[in-house]
């Protein structure tokens, strides 16, 4: 079975075509600058070189059409006809309380995704455009929606209700939802495989540390708490997002900086985090380099980042009443042995011992805990596209 996985942003469309027989990626690519000047499709068939195809791509439907034409193209294509694509799996950012798992898309599902626009005004509309474009270009092909929020829907009320009047939840759906769920779910399953255990028997803390970053406490395969909230702004200090702050700072800064709600939202989402603290970059590679050269604010940003991760791991170890494994994933989690070691240095009291040599690894599934460590420490590369393809396959049978 061949499955196309699609992830639509407002001006971009990422895709991967999987052959689910061996979960091979037959091709992947990106359409960028949709609706803008300089649009192009960057396509990579299998392990071959990338090809760039500039074109006028005014909307997502044209983008999808172009992707399909490229996939069946005589020279750079990987399938002979478009009928070979048996299903499409879509990343959808917000599923609200409606979706606790992936679903086959029908009119009712589309209505529910549309209702969630209020909660994710920047993300759900392009996801919807992608689904509608595929319905037109690939009529009759089954489509599946895989939500970033779904895996976190097992959280109990005590984790997801804010300390606001209960009416804020009842009337405005204000609660913690959590994001990166597809990644947390994928690494949970892979961690169980690596440890040769059943997911049901494990207490895990999964740390998705990329440009956006979140942590989840997972008991027996069920999320019991996670660091992102109503939006992906809550929790850890991230590349450009502030994470947890005293909420009173919001009205204070709106007055001081003469910003309206959108202005402050932009300030907290785009100008804050390690970027805002360091004044150097949102990229942890740049921060490590600047810090080594003696830049104090870059060093401070890295310290603040690790400190916040430690606070969440510590609180989740308490919430779970113990932890069997701490899992690191995403750009920084997979590629920075220094960050992993630094973060874990606070947990000797839990019996965490890191094997420095084993920890000197990037992007490869590894148990890097020392012999006899009471808590396993794991690096698991995430693969959200594969998780979407697997869910899609399970749903279309
Ligand atoms: P996102 O999908 O949210 O953009 P990624 O999971 O791709 O994020 O992570 C991107 C981040 O990972 C980059 O900002 C960079 O800081 C970090 N990163 C990637 N490679 C390395 C590395 N070798 N060392 C340190 N940090 C890295």
């Amino acid at each position: 079975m061949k499955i196309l996985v699609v992830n639509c942003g407002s001006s971009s469309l990422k895709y991967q075509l999987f052959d689910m027989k061996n979960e091979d990626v037959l091709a992947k690519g990106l359409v960028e600058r949709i609706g803008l000047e300089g649009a192009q499709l960057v396509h990579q068939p299998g392990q071959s070189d990338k090809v760039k195809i500039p074109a006028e791509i005014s909307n997502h439907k044209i983008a999808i059409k172009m992707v399909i034409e490229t996939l069946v193209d005589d020279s750079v294509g990987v399938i002979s006809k478009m009928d070979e694509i048996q299903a499409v799996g879509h990343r959808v950012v917000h599923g609200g309380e409606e979706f606790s798992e992936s679903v086959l898309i029908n009119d009712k599902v589309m209505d529910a995704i549309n209702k969630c626009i209020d909660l994710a005004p920047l993300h759900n509309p392009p996801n919807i455009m992608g689904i509608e474009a595929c319905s037109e270009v690939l009529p009759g092909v089954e489509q599946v929606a895989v939500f970033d929020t779904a895996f976190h829907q097992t959280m109990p009320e005590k984790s997801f209700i804010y300390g606001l009047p209960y009416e804020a939840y009842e009337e405005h759906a204000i609660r913690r939802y959590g994001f990166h769920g597809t990644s947390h779910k994928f690494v949970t399953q892979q961690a169980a495989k690596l440890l040769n255990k059943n997911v049901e028997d494990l207490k895990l803390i999964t740390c998705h540390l990329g440009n956006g970053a979140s942590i989840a406490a997972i008991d027996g395969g069920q999320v019991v708490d996670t660091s992102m909230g109503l939006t992906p702004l809550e929790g850890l200090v991230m590349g450009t997002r502030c994470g947890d702050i005293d909420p009173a700072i919001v009205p204070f800064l709106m007055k001081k900086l003469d910003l309206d709600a959108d202005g402050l939202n932009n300030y907290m989402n785009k100008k804050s985090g390690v970027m805002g603290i360091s004044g150097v970059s949102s990229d942890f590679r740049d921060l490590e380099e600047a810090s080594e050269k003696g830049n104090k604010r870059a060093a401070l940003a890295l310290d603040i980042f690790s400190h916040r991760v430690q606070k969440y791991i510590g609180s989740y170890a308490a919430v779970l009443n113990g932890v069997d494994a701490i899992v690191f994933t995403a750009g920084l989690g997979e590629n920075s042995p220094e960050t992993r070691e630094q973060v874990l240095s606070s947990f000797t009291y839990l019996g965490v011992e890191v094997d420095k040599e084993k920890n000197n690894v990037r992007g490869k599934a590894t148990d890097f805990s020392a012999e006899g460590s009471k808590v396993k420490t794991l690096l698991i590369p995430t693969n959200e596209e594969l998780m979407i393809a697997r869910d899609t396959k399970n749903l279309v049978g």
Side-chain angles (χ1 to χ4, degrees):
M1 173 183 272
K2 298 198 177 86
I3 290 178
L4 181 65
V5 171
V6 173
N7 179 358
C8 277
S10 56
S11 66
S12 71
L13 184 158
K14 290 187 202 146
Y15 64 93
Q16 289 196 15
L17 182 68
F18 284 90
D19 185 344
M20 294 310 284
K21 207 159 50 183
N22 302 312
E23 298 189 333
D24 289 333
V25 177
L26 299 176
K28 62 179 168 187
L30 161 75
V31 186
E32 49 194 2
R33 300 185 60 81
I34 298 172
L36 302 168
E37 227 165 87
Q40 63 172 357
L41 186 150
V42 183
H43 173 77
Q44 185 176 23
Q47 304 300 321
S48 313
D49 289 343
K50 287 180 185 166
V51 279
K52 288 187 182 167
I53 311 167
E56 199 179 311
I57 309 170
S58 53
N59 58 45
H60 287 73
K61 187 178 162 192
I62 295 175
I64 274 286
K65 239 185 165 159
M66 210 176 147
V67 168
I68 308 291
E69 278 163 12
T70 309
L71 288 170
V72 299
D73 184 81
D74 283 342
S75 61
V76 294
V78 291
I79 50 176
S80 49
K81 45 189 188 357
M82 100 185 185
D83 300 0
E84 287 184 48
I85 300 171
Q86 281 163 291
V88 184
H90 291 268
R91 176 195 184 205
V92 180
V93 169
H94 219 304
E97 288 191 325
E98 200 72 38
F99 300 106
S100 54
E101 45 199 50
S102 305
V103 285
L104 265 177
I105 296 173
N106 56 28
D107 289 347
K108 218 170 125 220
V109 167
M110 286 306 278
D111 283 347
I113 299 174
N114 268 295
K115 282 204 186 106
C116 295
I117 287 180
D118 204 21
L119 293 166
L122 298 180
H123 293 100
N124 273 27
N127 300 157
I128 291 166
M129 280 194 278
I131 296 170
E132 288 173 348
C134 285
S135 310
E136 287 185 48
V137 179
L138 295 164
V141 174
E142 289 193 294
Q143 302 194 64
V144 167
V146 179
F147 303 91
D148 278 25
T149 48
F151 188 49
H152 300 299
Q153 276 293 308
T154 50
M155 274 194 286
E157 263 194 320
K158 64 182 177 187
S159 298
F160 72 70
I161 296 288
Y162 287 111
L164 294 167
Y166 199 74
E167 292 74 23
Y169 169 55
E170 289 179 314
E171 290 165 21
H172 302 293
I174 292 187
R175 51 156 286 177
R176 307 185 56 257
Y177 291 95
F179 296 87
H180 292 143
T182 309
S183 174
H184 289 290
K185 181 175 168 186
F186 182 79
V187 300
T188 295
Q189 293 177 351
Q190 298 302 114
K193 267 191 203 158
L194 189 67
L195 295 170
N196 211 7
K197 292 249 167 78
N198 289 322
V199 160
E200 292 74 27
D201 301 327
L202 285 173
K203 291 179 181 188
L204 299 176
I205 296 174
T206 51
C207 310
H208 177 109
L209 309 180
N211 218 335
S214 68
I215 303 200
I218 299 165
D219 195 350
Q222 310 251 301
V223 175
V224 293
D225 211 343
T226 190
S227 60
M228 284 179 166
L230 175 74
T231 75
L233 185 57
E234 189 180 344
L236 302 176
V237 175
M238 309 177 212
T240 59
R241 296 185 202 136
C242 60
D244 300 335
I245 56 168
D246 179 345
I249 294 171
V250 173
F252 186 89
L253 273 182
M254 283 173 85
K255 283 187 203 147
K256 285 275 180 207
L257 303 179
D258 194 22
L259 289 171
D260 61 7
D262 287 344
L264 197 74
N265 212 16
N266 190 50
Y267 182 88
M268 294 188 296
N269 273 290
K270 302 262 169 71
K271 301 200 184 315
S272 301
V274 292
M275 168 76 225
I277 298 165
S278 67
V280 172
S281 170
S282 62
D283 193 301
F284 287 85
R285 285 163 288 200
D286 299 339
L287 294 175
E288 284 171 9
E289 199 185 315
S291 165
E292 275 160 29
K293 286 186 184 145
N295 184 312
K296 290 218 166 59
R297 269 169 55 187
L300 176 64
L302 291 170
D303 267 358
I304 291 173
F305 177 84
S306 297
H307 180 67
R308 184 72 59 90
V309 175
Q310 288 170 330
K311 290 212 293 195
Y312 268 96
I313 294 177
S315 64
Y316 286 173
V319 164
L320 291 167
N321 191 11
V323 53
D324 297 305
I326 301 171
V327 182
F328 290 82
T329 194
L332 181 67
E334 292 171 26
N335 291 297
S336 177
E338 297 81 8
T339 304
R340 293 193 296 263
E341 194 181 338
Q342 159 80 7
V343 163
L344 292 169
S345 64
S346 277
F347 300 104
T348 48
Y349 81 96
L350 283 177
V352 171
E353 279 183 65
V354 168
D355 183 319
K356 283 191 185 199
E357 234 163 81
K358 286 188 195 158
N359 184 34
N360 192 12
V361 60
R362 287 165 208 274
K364 185 170 164 272
T366 308
D367 175 351
F368 61 93
S369 45
E371 197 75 29
S373 175
K374 285 202 188 116
V375 178
K376 300 288 182 196
T377 57
L378 311 178
L379 184 174
I380 311 266
T382 195
N383 193 337
E384 286 155 292
E385 292 77 15
L386 178 56
M387 190 75 247
I388 293 172
R390 284 179 182 169
D391 274 9
T392 303
K393 180 179 167 214
N394 289 340
L395 279 165
V396 300

